[in-house]
Amino acid sequence: MGLAEMRIEAGDWAGAERFAQQAADAGELGGLNYMARKLAEAGDWGIAERFAQQAVSPGSANALSVLAEMRAEAGNWEEAERFAQQAADAGNLNGLLDLAEMRLKEGDREEAERLFHQAAEAGNPKGLAGLAEIQVMRKDWAGAERFAKQAADAGGIDVLAYVVESRVNTGDLLGAERFANKAAEDGEFEGLMRLAQMWADAECHVKAEQAFQRAINIGSPGALEGLAELRAESPEDYERYELDSEGALAEPWEWPEPRPRA
C-alpha cells in the first residue's frame, strides 16, 4: 500500500492528496486512481472526477473507466457513459466495453450494440466480438460470422466460436469443424465444445468424442462432463478419476493401507 492509500485509510485526505500528487509528478498514477475511486465510493463525485482526470495519461484512463462502471451500477447511465467516453477519448476503451456488457445483461440490446460499435470503430476486437454475440442472439448467422472474422483478424481468436455457431446453424458441418480446429490451435476450446455438441446431436458419437477429448486436452472445464454424458456414464467418476492414456475412464484407485509401526 502506498503512502496516499495509507493516508486515506487513516482519514487524512489532505495528506493523501499531497502524497498522491508527489507520486504523480514522478510518473506513478496509482495514488490518484485510488483517491478517485475512494471519493466516488464516498459519494463525492465532483472531486473524484477531478482526480480521475489528473490520473489520465496517454492510453491509460483507468480511473475514469472505474467511475463509469460505478455510475452504471448505481443506475446512472448518462453519467456512466460520460465517464466512459472521456476514458475512450484518452485511449482507454474498457469503460465503453464494460457499459456495453452491462447494457446487454440488462436486456438493452440496442444500447449495447451502439456502445460495441463505438469500440469496434476504434479497431478493438472485443467490440467486434460483442457485435458478433448480438448477431448470434438475433440468429443473424451471416452477421455473426462477419463480425467474428473481423474480430479474429484484429487479434481476438476466441471469437471463432461464433463462426462455428454460424456454420452449425446454417448446416455447414465441415466448415464448423474447420473453424473449431483453427481456434483450438490457439488454445480456444469453445468452438470445440460447440462442435462436440453438434456431432452428438447428429448421433455421430465418434466425432463427438474426438472433439470432447481435444477440448479436454486444451483445458476445457466442461469437456469431461460432456464426454461422460455422451457415453452415458457418471460425470462424477470422470471428474474424480479422469481419463487413461486410451481416452477411457481410468480405473478407480485406492489409497494403500498404512504400514503398521514396528
Side-chain angles (χ1 to χ4, degrees):
M1 182 180 291
L3 292 174
E5 290 91 333
M6 292 173 66
R7 288 292 83 206
I8 289 173
E9 296 301 323
D12 179 8
W13 289 94
E17 182 174 358
R18 185 174 68 256
F19 284 122
Q21 196 61 63
Q22 288 173 2
D25 291 341
E28 174 52 56
L29 302 175
L32 291 175
N33 283 320
Y34 189 79
M35 287 196 70
R37 182 163 58 84
K38 284 295 185 179
L39 284 162
E41 289 174 356
D44 200 337
W45 288 95
I47 300 178
E49 183 174 357
R50 177 167 63 83
F51 279 110
Q53 290 284 8
Q54 288 181 44
V56 171
S57 64
S60 176
N62 293 332
L64 288 167
S65 293
V66 169
L67 295 186
E69 184 177 357
M70 292 174 70
R71 294 315 278 156
E73 288 173 350
N76 190 331
W77 294 104
E78 184 177 345
E79 280 289 285
E81 186 165 344
R82 186 171 68 82
F83 285 126
Q85 193 60 62
Q86 288 178 24
D89 292 343
N92 187 319
L93 297 172
N94 291 335
L96 284 178
L97 292 166
D98 289 343
L99 279 186
E101 291 288 353
M102 294 173 79
R103 285 290 204 183
L104 201 55
K105 288 178 181 177
E106 292 280 327
D108 193 342
R109 196 178 294 172
E110 289 184 2
E111 277 299 300
E113 186 172 24
R114 183 178 64 80
L115 293 165
F116 279 134
H117 262 298
Q118 279 188 256
E121 286 169 1
N124 187 283
K126 291 182 180 179
L128 290 162
L131 292 173
E133 181 180 1
I134 287 175
Q135 303 319 307
V136 167
M137 292 177 177
R138 289 175 173 157
K139 302 190 185 304
D140 177 1
W141 308 118
E145 183 165 336
R146 183 176 71 255
F147 284 123
K149 284 181 175 178
Q150 290 175 18
D153 291 342
I157 192 70
D158 57 323
V159 299
L160 287 178
Y162 294 123
V163 183
V164 176
E165 185 73 25
S166 168
R167 293 303 175 96
V168 168
N169 283 280
T170 54
D172 181 7
L173 305 190
L174 292 178
E177 186 170 30
R178 185 172 72 254
F179 280 105
N181 287 332
K182 182 179 178 182
E185 290 170 3
D186 289 270
E188 172 54 43
F189 53 76
E190 290 295 337
L192 283 173
M193 291 294 288
R194 183 65 183 91
L195 186 69
Q197 191 57 56
M198 174 194 77
W199 289 125
D201 291 344
E203 298 186 356
C204 187
H205 286 197
V206 173
K207 281 188 169 290
E209 283 205 12
Q210 290 172 347
F212 275 130
Q213 288 188 5
R214 191 168 181 196
I216 290 167
N217 290 338
I218 61 174
S220 169
L224 265 177
E225 181 179 354
L227 183 60
E229 291 175 351
L230 180 71
R231 293 172 173 174
E233 296 179 351
S234 166
E236 290 77 14
D237 285 348
Y238 274 65
E239 291 291 339
R240 183 176 184 186
Y241 302 116
E242 300 187 344
L243 303 180
D244 63 18
S245 60
E246 302 297 321
L249 177 63
E251 290 293 325
W253 42 263
E254 295 182 2
W255 287 105
E257 290 292 331
R259 296 176 123 187
R261 293 184 179 180

